[in-house]
Amino acid sequence: MFKFIGAAIGFFLLGRHFFGAIIGFVIGSVIDNFAVIRAQVKSKGGSTQDIFDYYRQQSTQSNSDFSTMIIALSAAVMRADGKMLKSELEYIKAFFTQQFGAQYTAVHLQTLKHFVNGGEIPLEQICSDIKFRTQVEVRIQLLHYLFGIARADGHVAEQELNIIRRIAVLMEVPTTDFESVKNMFYRDVNSDYRVLGIESSATEEEIKKAYRQMAIRYHPDKVAQMGEEHQKGAKEKFQKIQEAYENIKKARGMV
C-alpha cells in the first residue's frame, strides 16, 4: 500500500514528474517490506528468517545492540525445556531493571516476547557478535546470568544445561571456565573442585594455586565497566570461588 501512496506523493511533489513517482514508489516499497517483517515477527511461530531479520534490525540500533543479544540468549534458555516459567520471567525482569533502568523494562520485555514466540533463535550469529565485541570475562559473566535464569525455578534442567553449554562453545568460553560456573549452579560431590577448575585428586599445593588463579580471573573488577547487575553477579561468582576453597580446606583439614 505505501508504495502506491509514495508514488502519488512523489509525482505531485516533483511537479507531476514521472521520476518523482519512481522515487516515491521505491521508498514506499521499503516501508511495506519493513511492515511485513514486523507483522511476521509479532505473530507467534514466526519463521527462522523472520526472527533473524528482527535480530539484525534490533541489534544495529544505537544503545540497543548488546541488550538485544542478552535478551535473545535469555529467550533461548527460557525456551530450552519447553516450559517458560513465571520465576524465570521475574528473574529476567529484575535483571533488566538493575541493568537498564526501570524506564526501559517494558521495551526490553517486548523484545523478549518476540524472541520467545518467534522461530529458531540464530545463536551462531548472536554468539559471534558477542565474541567480537566483548572480552572473555564478560562472556563468562553472561553464562553466570544465563545459569541464573535456568535455576530460577530451583533446578537446572538438562535441556537448559545443554543450551548454555552450546552458547559457551559458540562464544569460545574456555571449558574450564564453563565448568567452574556450571558447578556454582549444577552441583555434585566434586563441584567444589570443579569450581576451582581442578580434579578431586589435586594436591594441596595445586588447590592453593588454582584458588589464587581463579580469584584473580573472576575478580569483580574484571567486569567493572558493565552494569550494576553484572557486577552483582560477578561478586556472587567470586564468593562461590571462596566458598568452594573453604569447603575443600575444611574437608581436607588444610591450614
Side-chain angles (χ1 to χ4, degrees), residues 95-155:
F95 175 84
F96 289 175
T97 301
Q98 288 290 333
Q99 187 71 16
F100 307 115
Q103 68 270 32
Y104 298 117
T105 302
V107 176
H108 289 107
L109 288 177
Q110 188 64 31
T111 302
L112 177 68
K113 181 180 178 181
H114 283 307
F115 284 112
V116 167
N117 293 334
E120 183 180 353
I121 297 172
L123 288 179
E124 290 83 358
Q125 182 64 55
I126 295 168
C127 292
S128 176
D129 289 343
I130 292 175
K131 182 180 64 175
F132 178 75
R133 301 181 187 208
T134 63
Q135 296 179 335
V136 67
E137 289 82 9
V138 175
R139 285 173 259 151
I140 292 169
Q141 185 57 34
L142 281 177
L143 292 184
H144 189 273
Y145 161 68
L146 296 176
F147 269 113
I149 297 174
R151 205 185 62 177
D153 61 348
H155 171 69

Side-chain angles (χ1 to χ4, degrees), residues 162-228:
N162 289 338
I163 198 70
I164 297 174
R165 179 184 285 110
R166 184 185 173 201
I167 290 169
V169 171
L170 291 172
M171 293 195 303
E172 295 187 3
V173 172
T175 302
T176 300
D177 292 300
F178 170 78
E179 289 294 329
S180 177
V181 176
K182 184 193 80 173
N183 281 278
M184 296 176 189
F185 295 88
Y186 194 85
R187 296 182 61 80
D188 59 29
V189 293
N190 292 318
S191 287
D192 288 323
Y193 289 95
R194 292 187 181 129
V195 167
L196 297 184
I198 55 178
E199 298 294 332
S200 58
S201 58
T203 65
E204 290 190 8
E205 186 58 35
E206 289 171 336
I207 292 169
K208 293 177 181 178
K209 180 180 179 181
Y211 168 70
R212 289 193 296 268
Q213 291 175 336
M214 283 292 187
I216 294 172
R217 183 170 183 78
Y218 286 91
H219 197 280
D221 287 349
K222 293 284 188 177
V223 292
Q225 76 278 15
M226 300 187 71
E228 180 182 343

